[in-house]
Amino acid sequence: MTKKWNLMLVLLLSLTVVLSACSGGNNKEANAPAATNDTKETVDTTTPETPVAEEQSSGLIKATDVSLNPELAKNRKDTLIVGMVDPKGVFNPLFMETAYDFYVNYAIFDSFLEVKADGSYVNSLAEKIDVSEDGLKYTYHLKPGVTYTDGSPMKASDYLFTMKLLLDKSYDGESDPLSYHIVGAKEYNEGTSNDISGIKVIDDNTVEVSLTEYSALSPVELGGVYIMPESYYGKGYKQGNLESVKALNSKPVGSGQYKITSYKAGQEIVMAANENYFRGAPVVKNVIFKTTTDSTNMAMLQSGETDMDNINVSEDNVEELKALGFLDINILPNNGYGYIQFNHNDKKFQDPKVRQALTYGLNRSEIVEGIYGPYADVINIPQSKVSWSFTDENIEKYDFNIEKAKTLLDEAGWVVGASGIREKDGEKFKINFSATADNPVVESLLPIMTTNYKELGIEIVAEVLDFNAIMDKKTKGDFDMFFAAWGLTPDPDNTVFITKGAQNDAGYSNAKVDELMAKGKKEMDLEKRKEIYKEMYQELNKDVPMILMYQRTNMTSVNARAQGFDLSPYKEFPFSLYQVQLEQ
Amino acid sequence: MKQYIIRRLLQMIPTLIGISIIIFAISAMVPGDYITARANPNMSIEKQEQLRAIYGLDKPDYQRYFIWAGNMIKGNFGDSMQHKQPVTTVINTYVWNSFVIGIFALFFSWFIAMITGIFSAKFQYSFFDKVVTLLVFICMSLPSFFIGLLLIKFLALDLKLFPVGGMSTSGLNATGWTYFTDVLKHSFLPIMVLTMLSTGGLTRYFRTSMLEVIRQDYIRTARAKGLKERTVIFKHAFRNAMIPAITLLGFELPGLFGGAMILEQIFAWPGIGHIYLNSINMRDYPFMLGFTIFLAVLTLLGNLLADVLYGIADPRIRLK
């Protein structure tokens, strides 16, 4: 009996040890996942636009003491480990969808153009690009001597081949090459022709593309195509069936800085330097993209298991990372913004005065401060402050002003009724707010909005739904207001504010905006485009199609032993991987 | 027996048809589809329609059901929209990682639960019983992310005994024994948390069923004829108390392959749980439906297995 009791005692003790660990309670750690931003934000899928941007807002916090580096990281002399969310394993620029698959593909493939930190473009694979005067003919001269990682040379005909894959009828990726207006694209897509008449391969290093119509986005759309080797991907390809190409998604061959040596789904992608890279062999010989999650990314940086990662920006996290001392922390504006959408098909939101009043009457800075602290700005035009098209000239700031909001509502005919709620033509001012479940922004927005609007005499009724359900309501037009976030493309052209635009589900319509957007898309001169978009943003600012909330920031923390990254909101980390050096 | 199994397998067919209709109907009723979930700000309406046509999302729901069900019968689960790979390939890639933690956690939780169950029944209302009950309820009620993060903080960051997360050390390129121990080290924390979470309930089951058996006449008889207490408990009582556990074991089968969504997320474990969760959020129909059917089949098989084993273990139950 006593023996058995001893055994039980041991078991018991071991259990108590575990549990005392549980009850110890370090709330900071436990709170980490609650701080994650669940706001669904989409990633840019088009490559950015030509022109020059203003300088990036510099948010670099340098490491204070590199000697604090953990042994684990110090001992890793020729390998850089990048922590990120797991990619889906779509290592093919045609089919990639998530940002993390993009990162992998950026390191493996190249295109004629490459983005610079300021959002403008330089020639990458192209030695020279000739554009005809009417803007309808592009001639690309490929740099000589570029090879793929399987040793075969890159030819101009590979560009045609890649375009064929993109224009194939069975293509189900998210690129939209039919909208590039290449001559003969439709015929190839429909299968009536087995060639794209508008793309002529002149010799091994020259290819000429003809368009039926041009837009300001054409140079980037055409030059941003990642070139894939026909000798590898073309083996089993027949027009109308991309299955053989898709089958190679996990075994990519490109001309890029790195090549994949092993891929363990959900765990890591191990890559080795391409010694024949056309811009010179990368300095760091091995790069590993390792899967991390919100709950482990900080701990892994701390223990040295990863060298860099993207961590949610919050005051606590920044403080904690700073305290580690061996990290360079880059805080960069996010390419996107949060907004509250009005349903413009609803009569009460059709009056701009009402929309202005609802903006004045909402304490936006308190909400944004509450969620992101100093790491987000309240915005008044739907554009990133680092974009070349950004303007703050004659932009009304809509600072919280409840009296002004009341006056505007009175002017609009909504007067306070007997119940304390505003009324017009017998209708009470009541807003059904469709709130996203588990969204920290909505959680801090709702109480403030309810109080603010109650003071204005407006009743808010909230209904909590999942993101997709709200998007569905948006498509059907069955909503009053909801909060969401948009991703921004580097080019200001979009369809969110155009009458009947693809992204304009809210029914917004403004003739002046339509006209300026159309004009901006056709203008090739950057200075002139700036003027056009300035005017457009001023109009949007006055007309308030939505309550603009904030532009937040992203934080990339890099172990200070890795130097040489060229990061900006437009230039993601993989583009400068080949320049990175590990300090010993 | 053979006849019984065949009949049960045949009965599974209408059940599966019913399940597939319900699963499909629920997924079709949920608002949104893969295209809306992507919410790509650059996608034109034409492109959206084009993609819906390629994916077959433009057809009415009943047609989509028959196309999907027809393909399933032929063994074609379709391609995952997110992974651009056949659903079966995706399942095969991730499910074994989940299985590794699942099987170990199953083993440990059953082992611990059996022992503690027996002893708390034997010494009912003793100090030991009360402490075990308390511990068990604490383990059950603490959320897994909380325990997980605490263990990471104490065992991985402070004491540096285990790695923070993942399944293997990056850049190690180990094979054979080194690889095995590396994975073992990485899997320790997730297995521990999963075991802690599932032991609680099981202990209660075993304790109750043991208590019931201990009060039976034949146990008194066994004691009366002078058998050692050890023999009475482990041979006579324990075996009979374990019979209801067979049913429980049958239910564990889908759990082994289903993955642990929250836990995998915390420890960055490359299991199927968070892939499944993602597919639901992204409305990746082929994967979501395919994997749900896979789990449904496992549940049915688990039930069948339990019934067959029951018949073998307990002669009082005759299978017809």
Side-chain angles (χ1 to χ4, degrees):
Chain A
M1 240 17 237
T2 45
K3 245 186 197 165
K4 248 180 262 156
W5 266 110
N6 283 341
L7 191 106
M8 292 318 301
L9 214 68
V10 170
L11 205 112
L12 190 82
L13 275 174
S14 57
L15 268 172
T16 359
V17 169
V18 171
L19 278 160
S20 59
C22 299
S23 51
N26 180 336
N27 282 321
K28 225 181 214 166
E29 281 283 318
N31 280 336
T36 60
N37 180 15
D38 278 342
T39 316
K40 204 136 185 179
E41 260 159 298
T42 40
V43 193
D44 301 336
T45 42
T46 55
T47 26
E49 228 286 278
T50 18
V52 196
E54 288 165 19
E55 64 171 41
Q56 72 185 70
S57 89
S58 159
L60 175 67
I61 305 168
K62 287 294 278 180
T64 47
D65 187 359
V66 189
S67 65
L68 291 172
N69 231 324
E71 287 301 313
L72 203 59
K74 267 194 252 177
N75 294 337
R76 208 164 41 226
K77 303 267 189 243
D78 61 346
T79 306
L80 178 82
I81 300 186
V82 181
M84 62 186 208
V85 175
D86 57 329
K88 301 285 173 209
V90 188
F91 305 139
N92 181 332
L94 301 177
F95 297 105
M96 58 185 183
E97 281 170 3
T98 70
Y100 312 102
D101 288 298
F102 272 62
Y103 290 166
V104 178
N105 287 316
Y106 288 156
I108 299 174
F109 292 92
D110 286 301
S111 53
F112 283 136
L113 289 178
E114 190 191 59
V115 70
K116 285 205 299 191
D118 63 1
S120 65
Y121 279 79
V122 279
N123 292 351
S124 170
L125 283 173
E127 193 166 54
K128 191 161 68 113
I129 302 170
D130 303 325
V131 187
S132 68
E133 226 151 76
D134 56 4
L136 291 177
K137 197 169 270 182
Y138 287 77
T139 314
Y140 292 95
H141 300 273
L142 176 66
K143 279 186 182 147
V146 180
T147 56
Y148 294 106
T149 48
D150 64 354
S152 58
M154 181 183 280
K155 291 185 208 147
S157 58
D158 289 334
Y159 181 81
L160 170 63
F161 169 70
T162 311
M163 272 300 185
K164 277 185 178 173
L165 298 182
L166 276 168
L167 283 163
D168 196 274
K169 194 168 67 175
S170 69
Y171 174 68
D172 63 345
E174 291 195 346
S175 300
D176 193 4
L178 280 174
S179 69
Y180 302 171
H181 303 293
I182 299 171
V183 176
K186 211 169 157 49
E187 287 75 9
Y188 187 82
N189 180 259
E190 283 163 356
T192 52
S193 160
N194 57 9
D195 219 339
I196 305 166
S197 53
I199 303 181
K200 280 199 202 81
V201 179
I202 294 169
D203 58 40
D204 269 359
N205 287 317
T206 319
V207 61
E208 186 189 275
V209 186
S210 317
L211 304 179
T212 52
E213 59 180 279
Y214 75 91
S215 82
L217 288 90
S218 299
V220 174
E221 285 171 347
L222 297 174
V225 172
Y226 287 87
I227 301 176
M228 297 161 67
E230 186 171 10
S231 57
Y232 181 71
Y233 287 98
K235 273 175 207 154
Y237 168 67
K238 280 190 197 71
Q239 189 176 357
N241 188 353
L242 285 170
E243 285 307 313
S244 65
V245 179
K246 269 192 199 174
L248 297 171
N249 278 1
S250 57
K251 293 182 289 259
V253 169
S255 58
Q257 317 161 41
Y258 286 87
K259 55 188 173 193
I260 293 185
T261 53
S262 88
Y263 167 54
K264 285 190 205 138
Q267 298 183 54
E268 58 182 19
I269 300 132
V270 183
M271 297 190 287
N274 172 10
E275 295 301 329
N276 301 317
Y277 187 49
F278 74 97
R279 272 182 284 210
V283 188
V284 181
K285 292 305 162 205
N286 302 293
V287 169
I288 298 174
F289 287 176
K290 185 182 173 70
T291 300
T292 57
T293 56
D294 278 340
S295 49
T296 53
N297 51 16
M298 176 110 61
M300 282 192 170
L301 270 177
Q302 194 179 342
S303 70
E305 282 173 70
T306 55
D307 288 314
M308 70 180 283
D309 212 322
N310 224 327
I311 290 170
N312 285 307
V313 192
S314 71
E315 277 170 286
D316 283 352
N317 286 353
V318 175
E319 281 312 309
E320 211 167 329
L321 289 170
K322 265 198 215 162
L324 291 177
F326 58 87
L327 298 168
D328 288 338
I329 305 163
N330 298 279
I331 300 176
L332 299 171
N334 177 51
N335 274 335
Y337 59 92
Y339 64 94
I340 299 169
Q341 184 67 61
F342 299 114
N343 186 350
H344 292 275
N345 295 320
D346 189 321
K347 223 171 66 204
K348 61 177 174 277
F349 295 125
Q350 278 167 359
D351 187 341
K353 278 195 173 135
V354 172
R355 302 197 296 263
Q356 286 171 355
L358 291 174
T359 314
Y360 276 120
L362 182 66
N363 196 342
R364 296 182 297 161
S365 55
E366 188 190 344
I367 298 167
V368 174
E369 174 82 27
I371 313 157
Y372 296 109
Y375 302 106
D377 297 324
V378 173
I379 52 165
N380 293 298
I381 63 165
Q383 182 53 273
S384 166
K385 63 181 175 194
V386 293
S387 165
W388 54 261
S389 60
F390 181 83
T391 177
D392 50 10
E393 217 179 293
N394 292 329
I395 295 292
E396 171 59 45
K397 289 198 163 48
Y398 292 100
D399 288 327
F400 182 52
N401 187 340
I402 210 115
E403 290 315 312
K404 189 154 188 182
K406 280 180 182 164
T407 325
L408 280 165
L409 283 171
D410 287 338
E411 281 171 25
W414 289 92
V415 280
V416 184
S419 56
I421 307 282
R422 284 181 191 265
E423 283 174 34
K424 185 181 178 181
D425 309 330
E427 192 203 337
K428 283 192 173 162
F429 207 136
K430 191 176 129 189
I431 297 172
N432 291 311
F433 190 86
S434 307
T436 330
D438 293 329
N439 184 320
V441 178
V442 173
E443 275 158 24
S444 59
L445 178 148
L446 255 181
I448 296 176
M449 183 188 235
T450 315
T451 334
N452 285 168
Y453 284 0
K454 199 175 167 192
E455 209 184 323
L456 287 182
I458 297 168
E459 194 190 349
I460 294 275
V461 184
E463 174 189 26
V464 180
L465 294 160
D466 100 325
F467 176 79
N468 280 291
I470 290 178
M471 290 300 109
D472 194 59
K473 274 179 169 272
K474 173 178 120 170
T475 317
K476 291 190 182 130
D478 170 28
F479 69 96
D480 280 356
M481 263 183 170
F482 64 83
F483 169 82
W486 274 128
L488 277 170
T489 50
D491 195 273
D493 181 59
N494 69 63
T495 60
V496 176
F497 304 105
I498 303 175
T499 307
K500 297 204 182 344
Q503 261 66 43
N504 184 0
D505 292 328
Y508 179 68
S509 178
N510 180 327
K512 195 172 170 195
V513 173
D514 290 352
E515 187 202 320
L516 288 166
M517 281 290 227
K519 214 166 126 194
K521 196 174 177 179
K522 282 287 170 202
E523 180 57 61
M524 302 299 275
D525 185 80
L526 180 69
E527 289 308 314
K528 285 185 192 150
R529 285 192 85 194
K530 267 188 191 167
E531 286 305 311
I532 295 168
Y533 287 108
K534 183 160 83 185
E535 205 182 323
M536 200 265 301
Y537 286 130
Q538 284 164 350
E539 176 64 24
L540 284 179
N541 177 252
K542 233 183 297 164
D543 205 33
V544 201
M546 49 175 62
I547 302 180
L548 293 163
M549 293 299 292
Y550 61 83
Q551 179 182 21
R552 61 177 181 85
T553 48
N554 289 316
M555 174 164 65
T556 308
S557 305
V558 188
N559 192 314
R561 76 191 190 98
Q563 292 294 333
F565 276 110
D566 185 13
L567 299 172
S568 89
Y570 298 117
K571 192 170 179 177
E572 317 254 27
F573 77 87
F575 289 113
S576 52
L577 265 182
Y578 71 100
Q579 307 167 335
V580 174
Q581 299 193 351
L582 293 180
E583 279 165 13
Q584 302 300 335
Chain B
M1 179 69 102
K2 208 185 197 173
Q3 224 187 349
Y4 172 78
I5 295 176
I6 291 171
R7 203 177 60 221
R8 280 291 300 267
L9 285 174
L10 286 177
Q11 278 170 2
M12 271 167 65
I13 295 172
T15 321
L16 264 181
I17 292 176
I19 291 174
S20 73
I21 291 174
I22 293 171
I23 295 173
F24 192 91
I26 291 174
S27 79
M29 276 189 284
V30 173
D33 61 21
Y34 186 63
I35 317 291
T36 55
R38 287 284 310 150
N40 184 336
N42 306 307
M43 206 186 278
S44 64
I45 292 172
E46 295 78 35
K47 179 74 190 170
Q48 288 179 15
E49 277 164 7
Q50 212 180 329
L51 281 181
R52 285 203 173 93
I54 292 174
Y55 291 141
L57 294 172
D58 54 341
K59 297 191 176 67
D61 290 339
Y62 71 92
Q63 267 186 31
R64 277 174 51 210
Y65 173 75
F66 285 112
I67 294 170
W68 171 70
N71 285 333
M72 292 283 274
I73 291 169
K74 283 183 257 165
N76 176 8
F77 282 58
D79 278 10
S80 157
M81 291 168 175
Q82 286 184 86
H83 295 263
K84 315 280 176 202
Q85 275 174 352
V87 170
T88 40
T89 316
V90 180
I91 294 180
N92 192 34
T93 311
Y94 292 96
V95 84
W96 300 110
N97 300 335
S98 290
F99 183 76
V100 171
I101 341 185
I103 192 90
F104 276 109
L106 180 75
F107 175 76
F108 286 122
S109 56
W110 274 65
F111 184 72
I112 298 172
M114 268 182 201
I115 301 204
T116 45
I118 291 169
F119 282 96
S120 19
K122 172 79 178 104
F123 307 107
Q124 195 188 4
Y125 304 135
S126 68
F127 178 68
F128 171 79
D129 183 30
K130 280 177 190 153
V131 170
V132 166
T133 311
L134 179 72
L135 288 182
V136 154
F137 278 105
I138 290 175
C139 282
M140 271 170 81
S141 36
L142 284 176
S144 58
F145 76 88
F146 180 70
I147 308 186
L149 289 172
L150 273 175
L151 289 181
I152 289 178
K153 166 96 178 89
F154 288 118
L155 298 181
L157 281 180
D158 294 349
L159 296 174
K160 300 198 180 0
L161 290 175
F162 300 102
V164 173
M167 189 168 153
S168 55
T169 309
S170 290
L172 191 65
N173 287 329
T175 46
W177 181 249
T178 349
Y179 177 72
F180 179 75
T181 47
D182 189 44
V183 173
L184 209 65
K185 241 177 143 179
H186 280 83
S187 60
F188 187 88
L189 289 181
I191 290 175
M192 184 165 164
V193 175
L194 203 57
T195 308
M196 281 169 74
L197 291 175
S198 46
T199 308
L202 283 173
T203 309
R204 304 307 290 169
Y205 276 118
F206 293 154
R207 182 177 175 274
T208 318
S209 109
M210 195 72 187
L211 277 177
E212 225 167 78
V213 174
I214 277 182
R215 306 245 150 85
Q216 300 278 332
D217 288 346
Y218 66 86
I219 296 295
R220 203 184 314 144
T221 317
R223 284 201 180 113
K225 70 181 184 187
L227 284 181
K228 267 189 267 172
E229 185 64 17
R230 184 194 302 223
T231 324
V232 173
I233 295 294
F234 284 99
K235 200 164 171 200
H236 295 264
F238 177 61
R239 278 198 187 177
N240 286 298
M242 280 299 106
I243 291 174
I246 292 174
T247 321
L248 285 179
L249 198 62
F251 286 132
E252 298 272 10
L253 189 68
L256 278 181
F257 294 90
M261 290 175 190
I262 299 169
L263 209 65
E264 285 169 6
Q265 196 62 30
I266 294 167
F267 291 102
W269 189 264
I272 193 117
H274 93 274
I275 304 283
Y276 186 39
L277 186 64
N278 235 327
S279 77
I280 296 171
N281 282 334
M282 293 303 293
R283 309 285 190 263
D284 181 356
Y285 293 124
F287 184 83
M288 175 173 127
L289 295 171
F291 191 68
T292 314
I293 287 287
F294 172 70
L295 289 183
V297 170
L298 284 179
T299 312
L300 293 177
L301 285 179
N303 269 335
L304 173 61
L305 193 74
D307 287 353
V308 170
L309 288 178
Y310 221 90
I312 295 170
D314 190 347
R316 286 171 297 185
I317 295 163
R318 279 284 162 80
L319 303 175
K320 279 197 191 110

